Amino acid sequence: MKKLNLLDKFVFFFNSIAATTLLLAYILPYLEPKRFAFLSILSLTVPFLIILNILFVIYWLLKVKKQLLLSIIILLIGFQYVASLYKVSASKQVNDAENIAVMNYNVRLFNVFKWIPEIDAAQEISLLIKEQDPDIISMQDYRPDDGLALKKYYKFEEVRGDKIKNGQAIFSKFPIINQGSIDFPNTFNNAIFADVVKGKDTIRVYNVHLQSFKIDASKDPLKSEAAENLFKRVGNTFTLQQSQADLFLEHKAKCTYKTIVCGDFNNTAYSFVYKTIKGTDLRDAFVEAGNGFGRSFDFKFFPVRIDFIMVDDNFEINSFKTFDVKFSDHYPIMSRVKVR
């Protein structure tokens, strides 16, 4: 430190804070939000903290200073987190007839309140689906809309509400032989499932929508709400998400079919609920076959991935894609998987 000038000492001070905070964030997926709700908020910032520490490494590298070792060591400790932030994968080329194309999309009520001006979201999403031709579609923040043209699909929807009915839906080209809902107390969020038949296989498809933080993606949350209130509300949401994840897992544990889990977890891949739901029996399609940051939510400050497609070991993951289309505050994702 004696060889650093005043500016570099100032930079290293903030570098130390960023590195220490990232190190703390690494352990958060192992801590129950019910007990550590306030600390759990840090998991939302992991993508930002990783990028920030990489920038510090570059800064010290250009300066040819040994201080770069601090962030390098922290990044190496959490290599699995760093590696999952940005992926470079090669999608396999297999016969499409052998693949099941699974799409997940939070459609934000098909833009009913005109958050995005001058688009017919239901029509645009219908055209996207027609072009990509997924076999199974999982939608969150869904509402019945006459503009959604998906006539060749079987459908199961679970919607509630008085003025605007909304909820979740699963569409499938394969016949649906069973369906149901996992109710989450005191919220419109829930999980639904549909058992579909493809050839000789029965496949359970889950659509999971965990509690939302209700943060405006286009605004700085600290400017729109007092920090104390924001952290308290977000901490409470983490606690609710944990309870909802537990209800989902209790239901899933009774399933004997091959399983696909889709959804908007309203939390990142560095969170307790992600680790809990993924467990040891599910695999994240983006991690195995994705490219880039996999950003699925339009948060302007840094890339955020909160929408997921997971499969159990009965499936081979062959591709994953995020579609850069602005019909919602989320981006649709799609994976092609093959029954082993």
Side-chain angles (χ1 to χ4, degrees):
M1 287 290 285
K2 291 181 180 180
K3 295 181 180 180
L4 298 181
N5 60 37
L6 184 61
L7 175 60
D8 285 347
K9 288 180 180 179
F10 184 75
V11 171
F12 188 67
F13 172 74
F14 284 101
N15 187 170
S16 301
I17 293 174
T20 303
T21 306
L22 180 57
L23 182 62
L24 177 61
Y26 288 157
I27 67 172
L28 293 177
Y30 302 92
L31 302 179
E32 292 188 7
K34 289 179 180 178
R35 298 182 180 180
F36 303 95
F38 182 79
L39 279 178
S40 296
I41 296 170
L42 285 179
S43 66
L44 297 175
T45 67
V46 170
F48 169 74
L49 290 170
I50 290 174
I51 294 170
L52 185 59
N53 275 275
I54 291 173
L55 292 176
F56 279 125
V57 170
I58 295 171
Y59 177 85
W60 295 119
L61 185 62
L62 294 175
K63 287 271 191 172
V64 196
K65 297 289 187 181
K66 64 182 180 181
Q67 279 70 23
L68 62 83
L69 292 174
L70 174 61
S71 284
I72 285 180
I73 292 170
I74 297 299
L75 291 168
L76 287 175
I77 290 173
F79 179 76
Q80 62 176 337
Y81 295 90
V82 179
S84 69
L85 176 63
Y86 189 92
K87 301 296 297 182
V88 179
S89 305
S91 296
K92 300 176 184 178
Q93 298 297 321
V94 293
N95 184 351
D96 276 349
E98 298 176 347
N99 275 291
I100 302 172
V102 183
M103 176 178 282
N104 186 80
Y105 199 0
N106 182 316
V107 295
R108 204 187 189 190
L109 302 177
F110 298 113
N111 199 40
V112 67
F113 294 112
K114 304 301 179 184
W115 295 287
I116 306 171
E118 300 179 358
I119 70 160
D120 184 332
Q123 183 180 60
E124 295 288 353
I125 291 170
S126 297
L127 292 173
L128 173 72
I129 291 171
K130 182 179 180 180
E131 178 183 354
Q132 298 303 322
D133 198 29
D135 299 301
I136 294 170
I137 310 162
S138 173
M139 291 185 183
Q140 301 83 42
D141 279 342
Y142 164 88
R143 71 177 183 87
D145 190 301
D146 293 337
L148 189 66
L150 301 177
K151 295 182 180 179
K152 64 180 179 180
Y153 290 88
Y154 299 93
K155 178 179 70 171
F156 169 53
E157 64 181 39
E158 179 74 16
V159 294
R160 306 169 186 176
D162 298 322
K163 294 183 179 180
I164 298 178
K165 292 188 179 297
N166 66 94
Q168 277 59 259
I170 295 172
F171 297 83
S172 171
K173 288 183 182 178
F174 314 121
I176 297 174
I177 60 169
N178 185 35
Q179 61 197 34
S181 174
I182 307 165
D183 292 333
F184 299 154
N186 306 314
T187 181
F188 280 106
N189 294 71
N190 71 331
I192 63 173
F193 69 91
D195 296 335
V196 305
V197 176
K198 181 183 185 298
K200 297 180 180 180
D201 295 303
T202 300
I203 300 168
R204 167 72 55 88
V205 180
Y206 281 106
N207 176 351
V208 182
H209 191 198
L210 299 183
Q211 195 70 26
S212 171
F213 292 105
K214 300 188 183 301
I215 294 175
D216 190 332
S218 64
K219 297 178 181 178
D220 184 343
L222 289 176
K223 289 183 178 179
S224 58
E225 184 175 353
E228 183 180 352
N229 291 336
L230 175 66
F231 290 147
K232 182 178 180 181
R233 179 165 59 81
V234 172
N236 289 338
T237 300
F238 270 104
T239 301
L240 281 173
Q241 287 180 350
Q242 180 183 346
S243 299
Q244 293 166 359
D246 288 342
L247 288 171
F248 164 70
L249 288 176
E250 183 180 339
H251 189 279
K252 177 176 168 291
K254 300 173 185 176
C255 176
T256 58
Y257 298 133
K258 299 174 176 67
T259 304
I260 298 173
V261 177
C262 304
D264 171 10
F265 292 1
N266 272 306
N267 217 319
T268 69
Y270 314 104
S271 65
F272 179 87
V273 291
Y274 170 89
K275 178 179 177 295
T276 299
I277 290 174
K278 182 174 179 293
T280 57
D281 62 327
L282 294 178
R283 291 141 55 224
D284 187 331
F286 169 77
V287 172
E288 293 200 14
N291 283 286
F293 286 107
R295 180 181 67 160
S296 69
F297 182 62
D298 188 22
F299 189 60
K300 71 176 185 178
F301 300 100
F302 50 85
V304 174
R305 185 169 73 96
I306 62 175
D307 303 270
F308 304 95
I309 297 172
M310 300 179 180
V311 296
D312 65 20
D313 285 334
N314 291 296
F315 296 90
E316 178 182 318
I317 300 170
N318 291 314
S319 70
F320 183 95
K321 183 175 181 179
T322 303
F323 297 91
D324 189 14
V325 293
K326 186 67 175 176
F327 307 142
S328 169
D329 56 346
H330 290 246
Y331 299 101
I333 58 176
M334 189 166 82
S335 179
R336 295 184 185 276
V337 301
K338 177 185 175 183
V339 177
R340 294 186 192 276

